[in-house]
Amino acid sequence: PPSRGTLDALSASDAPAFYLYTSGTTGKPKCVVLSNRGTANILETTLSEWAVSQEDVFLSATPLHHDMSVFDILGALTAGATLVLPEEGEDKDALRWNELIAEHRVTAWSSVPAMLEMLLACRKGDSLGSLRLIAQGGDYIKPTVISELRELLPSARLISLGGPTETTIWSIWHDITPDDTDCIPYGRPLPGISYYVLDERGDHCPIGVAGRIHTAGIGVALGYLEDGHLSQTDFVTIQDSGGEEVRAFRTGDRALYRH
């Protein structure tokens, strides 16, 4: 078997490791080239922050072509947790998801908001009672859904996740608190990752002024695969808060800093 040193070197590699397609905000499919280094950073940080152990049970309902499935599978295997996979034909069956959660006492769920809403709409009794952590991201999170979860699972940890595929699985998060009633903040970036809100000239927006999100750091993808070559469309050089030049991904999302 490979040595621990060999495995550590592979995990720290910036070489292309896997590809994921995304349409982003354009609707045109793009092939994102991702590295083990960015992926390992997300896995290590998330497993530690979420206190994942061998006692946890994951349900991976997210299709394999979506980047959140990367955490479900590699995260569970890295932690030595139990991984529950729906059988063929059950990938859109929210009734079956509820049954699997109840049967295997699933403790952790992560998905896009629409899938979580399907899960809730099809629940029976206390089928979701074993969940200790529910994370959702990739789309708008409805405050009404958060209120429902608070009432249904008052002790569960609720997390908002964000970041496009070009920044590896997720790159920003927020622990949802009882104060988050009208809107759910995007959050703070994970370690090794920076978020900047810039105006059209590339200047940093002050607090309360909206601009386009730019993401820099260890999670930024290597580029897009086009005709066998790396393309750097929307991967740009910007100045960070200290005036240093950094490579960043220019997202299609707008945001503003709150006080």
Side-chain angles (χ1 to χ4, degrees):
S3 67
R4 177 58 187 264
T6 300
L7 293 174
D8 286 345
L10 286 170
S11 293
S13 172
D14 280 319
F18 62 99
Y19 308 127
L20 280 174
Y21 276 87
T22 180
S23 60
T25 55
T26 65
K28 177 183 178 182
K30 296 172 289 186
C31 182
V32 184
V33 183
L34 298 147
S35 72
N36 278 340
R37 181 169 179 251
T39 306
N41 178 62
I42 303 302
L43 294 179
E44 181 179 357
T45 300
T46 304
L47 293 175
S48 174
E49 177 65 24
W50 293 3
V52 176
S53 73
Q54 296 180 12
E55 303 301 316
D56 278 300
V57 181
F58 286 61
L59 174 65
S60 184
T62 299
L64 297 181
H65 64 263
H66 193 283
D67 54 2
M68 294 183 84
S69 69
V70 176
F71 176 78
D72 288 341
I73 296 171
L74 296 185
L77 296 178
T78 298
T82 298
L83 178 62
V84 178
L85 294 169
E87 293 188 9
E88 185 177 357
E90 297 177 347
D91 54 329
K92 296 180 181 179
D93 187 345
L95 283 171
R96 183 58 179 148
W97 301 342
N98 274 272
E99 293 172 353
L100 289 171
I101 289 173
E103 177 183 349
H104 297 282
R105 304 295 297 167
V106 172
T107 61
W109 168 281
S110 66
S111 74
V112 295
M115 293 182 68
L116 177 59
E117 290 170 31
M118 289 169 59
L119 182 75
L120 290 171
C122 295
R123 71 180 179 85
K124 293 181 179 179
D126 63 347
S127 59
L128 305 181
S130 59
L131 291 173
R132 70 168 184 86
L133 184 146
I134 299 174
Q136 54 181 318
D139 206 341
Y140 175 67
I141 296 175
K142 298 176 183 176
T144 53
V145 173
I146 297 302
S147 297
E148 182 179 355
L149 288 170
R150 286 278 182 225
E151 184 174 345
L152 180 66
L153 301 166
S155 62
R157 185 176 178 185
L158 307 181
I159 299 173
S160 162
L161 303 170
T165 303
E166 291 89 344
T167 63
T168 310
I169 311 180
W170 47 71
S171 51
I172 194 167
W173 54 20
H174 173 72
D175 261 293
I176 302 173
T177 72
D179 295 330
D180 299 320
T181 54
D182 297 329
C183 68
I184 311 301
Y186 209 30
R188 299 179 183 275
L190 276 67
I193 299 169
S194 299
Y195 266 61
Y196 304 101
V197 180
L198 308 180
D199 62 21
E200 294 179 357
R201 298 172 298 185
D203 295 330
H204 293 264
C205 294
I207 291 173
V209 175
R212 181 180 287 203
I213 295 176
H214 291 66
T215 306
I218 192 171
V220 177
L222 302 177
Y224 296 117
L225 186 67
E226 293 184 1
D227 298 324
H229 302 283
L230 275 179
S231 162
Q232 295 300 315
T233 304
D234 284 327
F235 293 88
V236 297
T237 299
I238 65 171
Q239 289 191 340
D240 65 15
S241 304
E244 297 291 328
E245 290 191 344
V246 295
R247 179 175 177 268
F249 175 66
R250 180 176 57 205
T251 78
D253 299 318
R254 292 174 61 79
L256 56 80
Y257 288 110
R258 305 194 309 176
H259 289 277

